[in-house]
Amino acid sequence: MNTDPKVAIADIEAARARIAGAVRRTPLEVSPSLSARCGAPIRLKCEHHQVTGSFKIRGAANAVRRLGREARAAGVVAVSTGNHGRALAQAARAEGVRCVVCMSSLVPRNKIAAVEALGAEARIVGASQDEAQLEVDRLTAAGMTMIPPFDHPDVIAGQGTLGLELLEQLPEIETAITPVSGGGLVSGVAAALKARKPGVRVIGVSMRRGAAMRASLDAGAPVLVEERPTLADSLGGGVGLDNRLTFRMTRDLVDELVLVSEAEIAAGLRHVYFEERQVVEGAGAVAVAALLAGRVVPAGPTAALMCGANIDMRLHHRVISGEDVDLDHADYAAS
Ligand SMILES: *Cc1c(COP(=O)(O)O)cnc(C)c1O
């Protein structure tokens, strides 16, 4: 593991070469409808077509491929109910490395099945993420390597390869809009873009419900926020009170961090479906949502990131059918 708490452009370039065979170069498509609405040329980075349905495979593959011989033999472990677990399972399987994903007993069966289908061992422990974390602690004490979802230099460098791709696909890029939760994605993308083209504006988007990075930036240090159900479930969770990298990198590299409401995310999902003819998850729609709601005013050639596809299709159907889905009140159980 890289113990120097910095991610340099050289690390991101090395990651690019390291993960080349494990990830797709996803398309960057012109959006005529958003370009007309926003008065700037808008392109959509179709990272929802990435292996395992999200960008998380970039960081996971980089972290797994950087493990030494002994660490590979012992295997990797994570706490995750979502895209990080899938990505780590896939990255580990590709390298013949054992992978254990710890989840609480509250996690729906389909999420457990998704991780198992990728060859990982799902370990169901306790009734909370904290109890699942205790199991991770036991496994790491026994020699396995924990790969966290965002606050790790190899993970950030892997996500940064997305920034390098944007520069190749759109050298004239002036604005990049990316979703933010723990900040691994935006930190990597901003590190890549600003190193190569310092004038690029990087704008982060979180959901209003439980915007941990926004609250932490406002407080000047990582803080806890209340977690609430949201359409952008992949953006849930905190930044970690003991955050080492992504809080600082986001603070120093990201130009703006805006918030979108649940109704705006729903409008984003509908736009992506009806106008772009794509299916994305809630987190994958927040960049588009911020543009549609006028929370981001794009200047010059702009890339908005659609970062994930893993949504419950029944929920997606309800949203694009125009139903007012408020997960705080609906009887819909997140699955
Ligand atoms: C993990 C994830 C995010 C947030 O990434 P961070 O690095 O935690 O900011 C956004 N969208 C999707 C689809 C994700 O899986």
Side-chain angles (χ1 to χ4, degrees):
M1 183 166 98
N2 182 355
T3 49
D4 181 22
K6 273 203 301 286
V7 179
I9 186 71
D11 300 317
I12 300 172
E13 270 162 359
R16 183 89 196 272
R18 194 175 291 121
I19 67 175
V23 304
R24 271 179 212 141
R25 176 183 159 118
T26 54
L28 183 68
E29 303 283 1
V30 173
S31 169
S33 68
L34 282 174
S35 301
R37 278 181 84 132
C38 300
I42 311 283
R43 284 180 172 76
L44 295 169
K45 178 68 167 163
C46 297
E47 190 70 4
H48 59 301
H49 292 316
Q50 187 52 268
V51 175
T52 68
S54 84
F55 69 90
K56 288 279 198 323
I57 189 69
R58 296 174 182 266
N62 190 43
V64 169
R65 290 194 169 186
R66 270 183 53 82
L67 294 174
R69 185 190 296 263
E70 266 180 43
R72 277 171 189 256
V76 293
V77 57
V79 174
S80 170
T81 62
N83 290 332
H84 176 59
R86 288 178 206 219
L88 189 63
Q90 166 68 26
R93 180 169 69 176
E95 296 289 299
V97 169
R98 178 181 174 216
C99 175
V100 177
V101 179
C102 300
M103 301 184 238
S104 87
S105 55
L106 302 178
V107 172
R109 184 64 230 168
N110 63 335
K111 292 206 166 180
I112 299 169
V115 160
E116 286 174 342
L118 292 165
E121 197 180 312
R123 192 159 297 187
I124 312 306
V125 268
S128 69
Q129 289 273 106
D130 289 347
E131 286 178 71
Q133 182 61 47
L134 289 177
E135 180 66 11
V136 169
D137 296 344
R138 275 191 289 278
L139 292 168
T140 51
M144 295 185 82
T145 301
M146 203 257 296
I147 309 289
F150 55 87
D151 198 26
H152 185 296
D154 299 336
V155 172
I156 298 167
Q159 321 306 29
T161 62
L162 219 159
L164 294 181
E165 252 176 58
L166 286 178
L167 276 172
E168 284 171 12
Q169 293 172 310
L170 186 64
E172 62 274 32
I173 186 170
E174 286 181 28
T175 307
I177 309 171
T178 122
V180 175
S181 175
L185 172 63
V186 79
S187 294
V189 167
L193 288 175
K194 302 256 171 178
R196 284 274 168 270
K197 197 173 174 185
V200 174
R201 269 200 320 154
V202 177
I203 299 172
V205 186
S206 298
M207 74 291 185
R208 193 176 290 163
R209 266 190 200 165
M213 185 61 85
R214 175 73 270 165
S216 300
L217 292 174
D218 292 343
V223 293
L224 293 173
V225 298
E226 186 200 354
E227 269 197 62
R228 288 167 63 198
T230 165
L231 285 172
D233 58 319
S234 289
L235 302 185
V239 305
L241 292 180
D242 54 353
N243 189 289
R244 293 171 59 227
L245 291 163
T246 60
F247 170 74
R248 231 167 6 98
M249 290 182 74
T250 305
R251 184 193 62 197
D252 296 347
L253 296 173
V254 176
D255 296 278
E256 254 179 89
L257 180 53
V258 303
L259 304 183
V260 289
S261 69
E262 294 300 298
E264 287 163 355
I265 297 169
L269 281 169
R270 287 193 283 269
H271 173 94
V272 168
Y273 183 76
F274 288 110
E275 301 294 330
E276 317 295 342
R277 298 173 179 247
Q278 302 285 330
V279 173
V280 297
E281 58 176 281
V286 298
V288 169
L291 283 168
L292 289 173
R295 299 195 181 279
V296 174
V297 180
T302 296
L305 180 53
M306 301 198 295
C307 54
N310 294 322
I311 187 167
D312 178 309
M313 289 306 286
R314 285 160 305 173
L315 174 62
H316 188 270
H317 183 258
R318 288 173 57 193
V319 173
I320 57 116
S321 300
E323 196 181 318
D324 181 14
V325 179
D326 184 338
L327 297 178
D328 248 0
H329 303 293
D331 53 11
Y332 171 81
S335 58

